[in-house]
Structures are given as C-alpha cells and as structure tokens.
C-alpha cells in the first residue's frame, strides 16, 4: 500500500519554487512571504480543519490530516512539489510531539513547542544537516535562502499552533491526547529534522 500523497500536487496553479521546495499559500495570521488564504466564513473550532473543497483548506491541514497514517511508511514516492512540503511538515510535527511530555499541561507544552517553532537555527535544503538532500534542491542564492527560511518559519509557527489545538482539544482535562502522543517514537521514512 503506498503512502498518502498531497492533493495539492494536482493543483493547476503551481506555487513558486525555491530550489524545488514549494511556497504554498497558508491560512494563517503569521507574517511571511506568501499570501494568506481566507479564513472560513463560519469560524471552526481550533482543532478542526475546513473541508478539502473549501478555499480555506491548505497544505498544513493536510499535513495534520495525513500525519498519523503516513508515519507508518518507510518509503514515500514524491509525485510533485507539494509532497516535499508534506514531508517537511510531517517531520516537524514529529519533532513537536517529541517535545510534549505525557504529563505536560497546555502551558508547558505550548512553551516548548513554540520555542521549537520560533527557533531560526534550522537546516535548509542543501545544508549538511538536511535529512534528504538527494530529493531536495538547495536555494539558488542567498536571497532565495532567506525567503525559504522565512517561509519555513511561517510554516513551523502555524503548524505548531494547529497541532497544539488538536493535541489538547479532547476532553479539556489539560492532558495531551494519548492518540497523538503514541506517535512520538515513530520516524517518517526513518528520518527526522
């Protein structure tokens, strides 16, 4: 059975690429180099995503939706640029879940995950610390590298916010969801950030 690829690979409006990493629009209030998608007309609870047909549905909704199923796969066939962002998002979610302790309250987990998301000292494609350099092209120049770093920082911050809303939404007891934390030891494709 193959892994779940991104539905955004079939999008006729191809995003701008830096190397071969896509800069896709996001539904976010975090400032960054891409335009923001509109929020749904009817506000959704923090832990829910809009329907796939909605113009508000973005790649980060898909990362969270496909995270648990895709973490079981050791191989992943990249079928388009959106898959590269999907892979990165899954790796980042794994890192965030590793920061959340089973006994941690919302406040402590938010602090730890937010610090991880705001840390600007992370590897870019082409850096020696990047996990899959053979599948990712490095940025063309320093300006592209800076744009990519800003975009990845925007993705990290928004993904951390959405993940925390899901991990702590269930019964309101202040404990993280055991269903999410059960994936802390899994490594998608046997790699991590």
């Amino acid at each position: 059975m193959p892994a779940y690829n991104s539905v955004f690979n079939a999008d006729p409006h191809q995003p701008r690429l830096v190397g071969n990493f896509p800069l896709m629009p996001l539904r976010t209030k975090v400032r960054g180099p891409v335009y923001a998608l509109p929020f749904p007309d009817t506000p959704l609870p923090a832990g829910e995503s809009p329907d796939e047909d909605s113009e508000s549905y973005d790649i980060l909704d898909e990362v969270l939706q496909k995270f648990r199923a895709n973490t079981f796969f050791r191989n992943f066939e990249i079928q388009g640029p959106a898959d590269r962002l999907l892979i990165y998002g899954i790796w980042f979610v794994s890192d965030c879940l590793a920061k959340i302790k089973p006994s941690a309250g919302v406040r402590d987990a938010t602090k730890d995950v937010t610090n991880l998301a705001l840390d600007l000292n992370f590897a870019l494609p082409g850096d020696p610390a990047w996990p899959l350099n053979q599948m990712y092209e490095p940025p063309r120049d320093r300006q592209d590298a800076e744009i990519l770093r800003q975009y990845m920082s925007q993705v990290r911050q928004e993904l951390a916010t959405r993940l925390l809303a899901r991990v702590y939404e269930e019964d309101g007891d202040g404990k993280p969801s055991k269903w999410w934390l059960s994936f802390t030891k899994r490594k998608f494709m046997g790699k991590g950030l």
Side-chain angles (χ1 to χ4, degrees):
M1 184 170 137
Y4 298 98
N5 293 85
S6 176
V7 298
F8 292 98
N9 287 328
D11 190 357
H13 307 292
Q14 289 301 314
R16 175 179 176 204
L17 298 176
V18 173
N20 58 2
F21 197 93
L23 303 183
M24 301 182 74
L26 306 171
R27 185 184 73 252
T28 183
K29 293 180 181 171
V30 178
R31 292 187 55 184
V34 296
Y35 72 89
L37 292 174
F39 283 82
D41 294 334
T42 308
L44 294 170
E48 290 184 21
S49 298
D51 294 332
E52 277 189 36
D53 307 353
S54 170
E55 66 178 346
S56 299
Y57 185 78
D58 67 5
I59 187 78
L60 302 184
D61 291 320
E62 187 176 47
V63 166
L64 292 169
Q65 176 188 5
K66 295 182 176 175
F67 169 77
R68 292 188 270 187
N70 274 347
T71 53
F72 290 108
F73 293 100
R74 297 202 41 83
N75 298 316
F76 187 87
E77 180 185 346
I78 295 178
Q79 296 178 351
D83 283 341
R84 288 182 178 84
L85 183 51
L86 182 69
I87 290 169
Y88 179 74
I90 290 172
W91 284 336
F92 182 70
V93 168
S94 292
D95 280 2
C96 289
L97 289 174
K99 292 281 186 192
I100 300 173
K101 295 171 185 57
S103 60
V106 177
R107 191 171 179 193
D108 292 334
T110 301
K111 184 179 117 193
D112 292 340
V113 171
T114 302
N115 285 341
L116 177 65
L118 292 173
D119 182 16
L120 293 176
N121 191 20
F122 55 85
L124 294 176
D127 292 347
W130 185 259
L132 284 176
N133 270 326
Q134 66 273 20
M135 294 181 173
Y136 289 82
E137 294 174 9
R140 193 176 57 231
D141 53 29
R142 192 175 292 182
Q143 182 180 1
D144 274 359
E146 185 56 34
I147 289 170
L148 183 59
R149 185 170 300 280
Q150 289 172 3
Y151 179 72
M152 290 172 90
S153 177
Q154 183 183 22
V155 165
R156 291 163 67 97
Q157 291 174 53
E158 183 62 30
L159 203 48
T161 302
R162 293 187 198 181
L163 176 66
L164 285 167
R166 282 169 172 78
V167 169
Y168 282 94
E169 80 172 333
E170 285 195 2
D171 34 8
D173 63 355
K175 298 281 185 218
S177 164
K178 63 182 178 184
W179 305 114
W180 278 96
L181 292 187
S182 65
F183 289 87
T184 56
K185 302 247 187 287
R186 292 214 151 271
K187 294 275 187 205
F188 176 55
M189 299 172 64
K191 303 201 181 295
L193 294 177

